[in-house]
């Protein structure tokens, strides 16, 4: 690893508020120019972590390094870090130009140069004519871009974003996700983005850290988090998933690092599944996760090589265009299973009450040994 | 169709009646206590008691007699000064209450600003007299410490009047300031620091512009209260306090010259309106904006 390309490094950051531990021994590094997201449910400590990076809180222990220099003693107004606030915090008493120029005026940049740089950044975010407008004359999406421009005009080493898309409506949010990613690429600034919305994190990020109860559960690319979750929390928090609790009956080691287990679920199903860890003892409790889109739906029983096949009856169809889902009741156990609706002609006429067969391979049924504290994963 | 439209107009007229009933006490109050007395004052000030008819001689008297217009000017300047002092003292207090502390202690501190006002102004002013007179608490304290040989008279100076005015008006500055500062989200201040601002320019560019309506409305109230104050200047300033309200009192009660007193009353009204209007113009605020 070439260390000069690391923009931000956090070493064993802890933050305690009297009784409560908000951030618990978190370490990570962010390479230059990347889009790093911290994803977690509300109350997981992600905002506290971000505020420590910005300098509004100081960690109880640990160190924050920017370009290999500790910034713990640097106050927020001297750090090469800027932040886009949750509600943007554009100053309502100033017009757009003055808002963007605020930081430059603080650096003592000459008036003519301020005007020049403000105009340039406004052009780059696609709002070249809005300099004289008041903040309340802009739409939500435009304000978003102005808030970004206000930070980016200062050429920060690191840009922090605190769920800035939360206040936008769905359509605009989808559009801003793409726009944000585009702007990040164009400016080449390192972004640290915190959100509770997995889709925002998956679409935009190079790296995602999933945070829960003050700890990082897993750090990886969106692809890794989605397909190879390391903990039950990550499996349930990132993407939709079906979940069974059960007991391990037997285990077989396979060549490719994975161990295949046979699990009897609490409602009486027998499932073949795999796990990243090979040390789950027989007769211990596990949770099995299967994604709706990993399930093959067929109208008749298949003689294929998929290890798990369940005979079900369609309970309901949640129609949502391409993201439609089938809710099916498993005949053997009576449990509910969600599967992605195939978009082929065979299933056009599928309706509640029809019989379907749901099958999935053992490789797509991930099991995690049940631990305390991971039970409150919000599904 | 006919039925529904008639009921609609019926309910509309009922709403109108309800509105008038609600407004009635306010209108009566305005008419009986504000408008009528002022019309009466105006007609008094313009009428000639000896020959009848209209005269401007009472207004002329004001400009001819230096004591009158000097007192008038002194009252205006002292009131402006008192307003400025109150603002300077109240702003940090309000900022502390609104921004620096959270939760229960905030309510307690705010209540502590309020509690002195449960006591009547007269009693509070006597309280100051007990502290400040020659045989008073502070004077005795200084003598006991050996800092003064004999009793020190702290009453009856301009500084004492100023002290009394600032003290009695403080709450009326703190309340509007706390409410405007409260409405400033902390994230604006944090954004200011985040973008490289220091305490001074965050105060100047973010906090004060946001608080301007509160500052202006507080200043208007405090200025009006000081200008029209009678008790404090008379009790703390003594005979030589030379406050304009005192002149009005003298004309009405001592001299029985109601015409002259009325002219002074009208002049005071004009003066205060003029200064408030100037203040609003200078700060670029509108009256409805600061009061709304």
């Amino acid at each position: 690893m070439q260390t000069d390309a690391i923009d931000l490094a956090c070493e064993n950051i802890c933050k305690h508020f009297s009784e409560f531990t908000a951030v618990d021994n978190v370490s990570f590094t962010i390479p230059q120019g990347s889009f790093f997201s911290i994803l977690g449910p509300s109350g997981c400590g992600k905002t506290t972590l971000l505020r420590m990076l910005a300098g509004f809180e100081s960690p109880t222990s640990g160190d924050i390094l920017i370009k290999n220099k500790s910034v713990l003693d640097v106050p927020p107004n001297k750090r090469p870090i800027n932040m886009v606030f949750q509600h943007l915090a554009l100053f309502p008493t100033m017009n757009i130009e003055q808002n963007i120029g605020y930081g430059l005026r603080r650096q003592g940049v000459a008036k003519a140069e301020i005007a020049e740089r403000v105009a340039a950044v406004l052009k780059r975010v696609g709002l070249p004519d809005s300099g004289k407008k008041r903040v309340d004359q802009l739409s939500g999406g435009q304000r978003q871009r102005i808030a970004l421009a206000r930070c980016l005009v200062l050429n920060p080493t690191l840009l922090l974003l605190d769920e800035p898309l939360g206040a936008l409506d769905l359509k605009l949010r989808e559009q801003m996700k793409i726009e944000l990613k585009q702007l990040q690429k164009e400016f080449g600034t390192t972004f640290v983005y915190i959100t509770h919305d997995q889709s925002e994190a998956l679409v935009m990020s190079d790296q995602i850290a999933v945070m829960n109860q003050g700890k990082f559960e897993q750090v990886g690319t969106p692809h890794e988090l989605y397909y190879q979750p390391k903990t039950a929390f990550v499996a349930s928090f990132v993407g939709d998933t079906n979940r069974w609790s059960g007991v391990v009956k037997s285990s077989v080691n396979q060549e490719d690092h994975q161990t295949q287990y046979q699990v009897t679920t609490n409602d009486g199903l027998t499932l073949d599944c795999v796990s990243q860890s090979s040390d789950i003892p027989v007769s211990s409790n596990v949770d099995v996760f299967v994604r709706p889109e990993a399930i093959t739906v067929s109208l008749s029983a298949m003689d294929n090589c998929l290890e798990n096949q369940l005979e079900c009856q369609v309970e309901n169809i949640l129609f949502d265009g391409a993201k439609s889902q089938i809710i099916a009741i498993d005949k053997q156990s009576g449990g509910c299973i969600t599967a992605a609706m195939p978009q082929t002609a065979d299933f056009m006429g599928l309706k509640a009450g029809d019989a379907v067969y749901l099958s999935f391979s053992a490789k797509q049924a991930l099991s995690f040994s049940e631990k305390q504290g991971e039970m409150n994963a919000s599904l | 169709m006919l039925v529904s439209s008639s009921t609609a107009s019926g309910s509309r007229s009922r709403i109108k009646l309800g509105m008038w009933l609600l407004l009635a006490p306010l209108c009566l109050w305005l008419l009986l206590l504000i408008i009528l007395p002022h019309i009466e004052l105006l007609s008094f000030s313009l009428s000639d008691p000896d020959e009848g008819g209209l005269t401007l001689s009472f207004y002329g008297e004001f400009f001819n007699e230096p004591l009158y217009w000097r007192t008038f000017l002194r009252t205006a300047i002292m009131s402006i000064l008192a307003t400025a002092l109150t603002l300077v003292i109240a702003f940090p207090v309000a900022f502390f209450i609104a921004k620096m502390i959270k939760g229960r202690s905030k309510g307690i501190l705010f209540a502590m600003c309020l509690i002195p006002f449960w006591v009547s102004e007269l009693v509070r002013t006597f309280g100051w007299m007990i502290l400040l007179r020659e045989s008073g608490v502070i004077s005795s304290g200084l003598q006991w410490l050996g800092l003064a040989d004999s009793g020190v008279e702290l009453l009856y100076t301009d500084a004492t009047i100023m002290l009394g005015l600032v003290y009695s008006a403080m709450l009326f500055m703190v309340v509007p300031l706390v409410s405007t500062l409260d409405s400033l989200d902390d994230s604006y201040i944090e954004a200011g620091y985040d973008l490289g601002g220091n305490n001074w320019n965050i105060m100047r560019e973010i906090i004060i512009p946001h608080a301007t309506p509160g500052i202006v409305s507080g200043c208007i109230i405090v200025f009006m209260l000081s200008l029209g104050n009678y008790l404090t200047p008379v009790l703390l300033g003594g005979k030589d306090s030379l406050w304009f309200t005192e002149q009005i009192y003298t004309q009405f009660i001592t001299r029985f010259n109601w015409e002259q007193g009325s002219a002074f009353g009208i002049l005071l009204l004009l003066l205060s309106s003029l200064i408030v209007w100037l203040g609003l113009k200078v700060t670029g605020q509108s009256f409805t904006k600061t009061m709304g």
Side-chain angles (χ1 to χ4, degrees):
Chain A
M1 289 290 252
Q2 66 273 53
T3 46
D4 55 340
I6 300 292
D7 261 354
L8 174 77
C10 286
E11 291 170 357
N12 308 98
I13 297 277
C14 289
K15 178 72 184 177
H16 305 288
F17 293 108
S18 56
E19 294 290 286
F20 174 70
T21 303
V23 176
D24 190 2
N25 205 13
V26 165
S27 302
F28 60 98
T29 56
I30 301 177
Q32 193 174 6
S34 67
F35 197 122
F36 187 90
S37 290
I38 299 170
L39 173 66
S42 49
C44 72
K46 56 191 193 299
T47 300
T48 310
L49 181 58
L50 200 73
R51 290 175 61 81
M52 286 193 284
L53 297 182
F56 297 123
E57 311 267 359
S58 51
T60 314
S61 62
D63 202 356
I64 300 171
L65 304 156
I66 292 171
K67 299 220 184 269
N68 295 319
K69 255 189 248 151
S70 174
V71 291
L72 284 190
D73 299 328
V74 182
N77 52 357
K78 300 275 192 300
R79 290 194 189 188
I81 295 179
N82 289 117
M83 179 156 163
V84 175
F85 287 77
Q86 192 163 11
H87 301 291
L88 307 181
L90 293 173
F91 306 127
T93 49
M94 303 179 197
N95 69 21
I96 300 305
E97 245 172 27
Q98 290 165 329
N99 256 291
I100 297 178
Y102 180 86
L104 294 172
R105 291 201 295 279
R106 299 291 77 79
Q107 293 177 354
V109 177
K111 267 204 179 118
E113 198 194 330
I114 291 178
E116 207 172 286
R117 281 170 72 176
V118 168
V121 81
L122 275 175
K123 207 168 168 190
R124 285 185 82 174
V125 298
L127 294 167
D129 304 320
S130 49
K132 297 282 180 232
K133 285 188 184 162
R134 285 199 317 272
V135 173
D136 55 14
Q137 286 173 312
L138 299 185
S139 70
Q142 289 172 329
R143 280 183 218 187
Q144 199 83 50
R145 284 186 253 169
I146 297 302
L148 271 177
R150 187 174 72 172
C151 293
L152 290 173
V153 77
L154 301 173
N155 298 319
T157 308
L158 204 62
L159 184 68
L160 310 176
L161 300 102
D162 183 3
E163 306 197 40
L165 303 188
L168 301 180
D169 60 64
L170 186 70
K171 258 260 151 58
L172 195 55
R173 204 153 63 210
E174 296 298 318
Q175 188 191 327
M176 281 310 295
K177 273 186 219 169
I178 299 163
E179 231 168 77
L180 260 180
K181 179 74 191 159
Q182 203 97 42
L183 283 169
Q184 189 262 337
K185 264 198 191 136
E186 257 174 54
F187 280 85
T189 310
T190 310
F191 276 33
V192 178
Y193 187 94
I194 69 169
T195 181
H196 61 266
D197 182 316
Q198 43 137 329
S199 138
E200 284 175 19
L202 291 175
V203 169
M204 294 189 283
S205 315
D206 298 318
Q207 288 263 305
I208 302 175
V210 179
M211 195 169 181
N212 184 34
Q213 301 193 324
K215 287 192 170 109
F216 276 6
E217 294 263 340
Q218 187 177 355
V219 183
T221 62
H223 191 274
E224 280 167 4
L225 290 180
Y226 194 80
Y227 291 108
Q228 294 138 35
K230 286 213 174 80
T231 67
F233 179 82
V234 176
S236 60
F237 194 75
V238 181
D240 293 332
T241 187
N242 291 292
R243 174 183 196 153
W244 288 275
S245 298
V247 177
V248 176
K249 285 292 162 209
S250 63
S251 64
V252 183
N253 275 318
Q254 293 191 319
E255 308 97 64
D256 52 350
H257 301 300
Q258 284 187 323
T259 312
Q260 192 163 333
Y261 295 92
Q262 191 163 60
V263 173
T264 305
T265 66
N266 294 345
D267 51 12
L269 294 175
T270 304
L271 299 176
D272 287 327
C273 50
V274 295
S275 179
Q276 312 274 344
S277 56
S278 56
D279 56 352
I280 303 176
V282 170
S283 81
S284 67
N285 292 327
V286 290
D287 283 327
V288 179
F289 293 90
V290 180
R291 297 207 181 278
E293 55 274 30
I295 297 177
T296 309
V297 184
S298 57
L299 296 173
S300 54
M302 292 194 299
D303 305 328
N304 56 16
C305 54
L306 299 179
E307 288 86 343
N308 302 294
Q309 177 147 220
L310 303 169
E311 188 188 354
C312 300
Q313 190 178 22
V314 176
E315 164 83 0
N316 204 353
I317 291 171
L318 303 179
F319 184 78
D320 184 15
K323 286 183 279 183
S324 299
Q325 290 186 316
I326 300 170
I327 312 279
I329 301 288
D330 167 44
K331 281 209 173 135
Q332 192 186 340
S333 66
C336 226
I337 304 169
T338 307
M341 172 104 161
Q343 299 291 316
T344 52
D346 296 351
F347 296 93
M348 295 283 270
L350 196 70
K351 58 185 187 302
D354 290 353
V356 287
Y357 290 85
L358 305 183
S359 31
F360 47 90
S361 73
K363 279 198 166 33
Q364 284 177 306
L366 303 170
S367 60
F368 299 93
S369 72
E370 194 179 278
K371 276 187 237 147
Q372 292 273 296
E374 289 173 358
M375 294 305 294
N376 53 359
S378 46
L379 279 166
Chain B
M1 202 55 211
L2 198 71
V3 177
S4 73
S5 73
S6 77
T7 50
S9 74
S11 75
R12 209 176 303 137
S13 71
R14 222 174 303 142
I15 289 170
K16 237 179 188 171
L17 182 69
M19 195 181 77
W20 280 114
L21 281 174
L22 277 172
L23 283 177
L26 177 70
C27 293
L28 278 177
W29 182 67
L30 276 174
L31 187 72
L32 295 177
L33 293 172
I34 313 273
I35 298 174
L36 280 182
H38 275 92
I39 292 174
E40 193 69 10
L41 269 185
L42 191 67
S43 75
F44 255 124
S45 70
L46 290 172
S47 63
D48 193 328
D50 301 326
E51 295 166 17
L54 293 175
T55 174
L56 280 172
S57 63
F58 296 108
Y59 291 94
E61 179 69 13
F62 169 80
F63 292 103
N64 289 333
E65 172 60 58
L67 176 71
Y68 293 156
W69 63 260
R70 280 191 184 155
T71 307
F72 191 81
L73 214 61
R74 174 183 143 86
T75 307
I77 290 168
M78 291 268 286
S79 295
I80 291 171
L81 201 62
T83 308
L85 264 176
T86 312
L87 177 62
V88 168
I89 297 168
F91 196 88
V93 174
F95 190 78
F96 187 77
I97 293 174
K99 286 280 154 241
M100 313 286 269
I101 49 174
K102 303 263 177 288
R104 249 176 79 86
S105 40
K106 189 171 187 161
I108 292 171
L109 266 184
F110 200 45
M112 278 167 65
C113 288
L114 195 80
I115 282 169
F117 289 80
W118 292 357
V119 178
S120 94
E121 195 188 351
L122 186 67
V123 176
R124 275 184 286 133
T125 312
F126 277 128
W128 277 114
M129 292 179 79
I130 291 168
L131 284 178
L132 297 174
R133 71 201 159 115
E134 203 172 350
S135 54
V137 175
I138 292 176
S139 174
S140 326
L142 286 174
Q143 286 177 71
W144 184 78
L145 286 170
L147 292 170
D149 300 328
S150 56
V152 187
E153 180 62 273
L154 294 165
L155 282 174
Y156 315 126
T157 67
D158 284 358
T160 323
I161 297 178
M162 196 56 79
L163 177 84
L165 288 175
V166 169
Y167 171 71
S168 62
M170 187 61 86
L171 182 75
F172 302 96
M173 188 66 94
V174 169
V175 171
L177 282 181
V178 166
S179 70
T180 48
L181 287 173
D182 239 350
S183 70
L184 176 71
D185 198 284
D186 285 348
S187 67
Y188 292 117
I189 298 172
E190 282 179 352
Y193 283 116
D194 187 66
L195 294 166
N198 55 27
N199 293 341
W200 161 244
N201 58 47
I202 284 170
M203 185 57 79
R204 216 192 51 198
E205 292 203 25
I206 298 168
I207 297 170
I208 290 180
H210 176 90
T212 306
I215 293 173
V216 172
S217 71
C219 285
I220 290 176
I221 299 168
V222 170
F223 175 73
M224 295 287 203
L225 282 175
S226 301
L227 199 69
N229 201 330
Y230 176 74
L231 265 179
T232 309
V234 170
L235 291 180
L236 297 180
K239 272 189 192 144
D240 303 325
S241 63
L242 291 174
W243 208 253
F244 199 65
T245 47
E246 229 182 314
Q247 294 286 349
I248 298 176
Y249 179 88
T250 312
Q251 295 301 336
F252 272 104
I253 308 295
T254 318
R255 300 234 184 123
F256 245 10
N257 189 350
W258 281 41
E259 290 76 13
Q260 189 65 62
S262 301
F264 285 177
I266 294 294
L267 282 166
L268 189 65
L269 178 71
L270 291 177
L271 171 75
S272 57
S273 310
L274 178 76
I275 293 178
V276 167
W277 179 79
L278 275 176
L280 287 172
K281 275 275 158 289
V282 168
T283 53
Q285 299 286 308
S286 78
F287 193 69
T288 43
K289 198 167 138 199
T290 44
M291 291 300 156

